[in-house]
Amino acid sequence: GYQSPAALPATLNATDRWLLAALNDTIRRAGAAMDGYEFRAAKDEAERFFWTDLCDNYLELVKFRLYGEVEGSSEGGHEAARYVLSHALMAVLKLLAPFLPFVTDELYRAAFAGPEPGGTSIHRSRWPEPEAGWQSDQALTHGRLLLEAVEAVRRYKSEHHLSMASELESVTITCPDDAVAALQGAELDLRSVTRARQIRILAATSGDDALNVVVQEG
């Protein structure tokens, strides 16, 4: 299995920091539900994170960085995405282990039992705990803006009867001034999920917290 670096990579961008912060919140809520014997709620938390945050959004955002075959990709961005995926997948397996004991153990043994302390079985490993270095209200806010922009483009394609893989000429995103740098740092991820040749990130007028997205097909 892939052994993720112990320390946070310096190359984490807004997409990566959002997923780690969302994972932290999921671990906290699922753990509290388990402690309160609310097992259905704990399972729902893990499944929501897995299907919505990780599969529907994060994996689509980081495809260009993972494959590294487009202009703008870098080894640092590739390793940052692998770091996040490693921690997110291992945590999801542990959160779901009480409910799916056999398949989670099989996947854990195949991918994580080597580098992960606690033996060769997921059922002998430690329950995931929130990481202080992942917690960030700002990361969650920037992540929300990223997802709003992605949803706006997806909605545009759906309304104009375009496939989600259709290329666009450009996508212009106007966002609060304090989020411009974060979204610019996630430009490659936005290109990955929108399939836009060009992403423009502009600051909104003073005091405007709304996000606006303009799509140009070409």
Side-chain angles (χ1 to χ4, degrees), residues 34 93-101 104 123 127:
M34 290 291 283
L93 287 177
K94 291 181 177 182
L95 292 175
L96 290 174
F99 314 104
L100 301 168
T104 54
H123 303 297
W127 182 260

Side-chain angles (χ1 to χ4, degrees), residues 6-201:
L8 281 170
T11 51
L12 291 177
N13 69 5
T15 310
D16 303 320
R17 294 184 184 280
W18 156 70
L19 193 82
L20 291 177
L23 175 59
N24 235 28
D25 280 356
T26 300
I27 291 171
R28 185 177 294 107
R29 289 194 295 265
M34 290 291 283
D35 289 342
Y37 302 101
E38 297 176 359
F39 304 123
R40 176 61 182 270
K43 181 173 178 283
D44 287 348
E45 287 288 347
E47 288 184 336
R48 188 214 57 79
F49 173 82
F50 176 72
W51 289 114
T52 302
D53 293 341
L54 184 58
C55 295
D56 290 346
N57 290 307
Y58 186 77
L59 286 176
E60 293 299 320
L61 282 158
V62 300
K63 277 184 176 178
F64 281 3
R65 279 196 285 150
L66 286 175
Y67 296 139
E69 297 175 353
V70 298
E71 182 181 352
S73 298
S74 68
E75 182 63 23
H78 176 80
E79 284 304 306
R82 291 186 68 185
Y83 170 92
V84 173
L85 280 174
S86 174
H87 284 283
L89 289 172
M90 181 160 57
V92 166
L93 287 177
K94 291 181 177 182
L95 292 175
L96 290 174
F99 314 104
L100 301 168
F102 300 110
V103 68
T104 54
D105 193 47
E106 186 69 21
L107 292 170
Y108 176 86
R109 288 170 185 267
F112 298 110
E116 169 74 358
T120 59
S121 171
I122 195 170
H123 303 297
R124 295 175 60 88
S125 66
R126 291 184 178 181
W127 182 260
E129 296 181 358
E131 296 280 350
W134 297 352
Q135 191 59 39
S136 170
D137 290 341
Q138 185 182 61
L140 292 172
T141 298
H142 291 163
R144 176 182 56 79
L145 293 172
L146 277 170
L147 297 184
E148 285 183 11
V150 168
E151 181 56 31
V153 175
R154 286 172 170 165
R155 186 166 56 249
Y156 176 93
K157 288 185 175 182
S158 177
E159 291 172 351
H160 290 77
H161 308 291
L162 300 172
S163 75
M164 291 300 124
S166 297
E167 288 193 353
L168 301 171
E169 181 61 32
S170 69
V171 171
T172 302
I173 302 169
T174 304
C175 64
D177 184 68
D178 59 0
V180 170
L183 267 61
Q184 286 175 339
E187 178 185 340
L188 184 61
D189 297 344
L190 287 166
R191 283 175 51 203
S192 173
V193 75
T194 63
R195 293 302 194 267
R197 297 184 182 91
Q198 184 177 19
I199 299 288
R200 300 186 183 94
I201 311 293

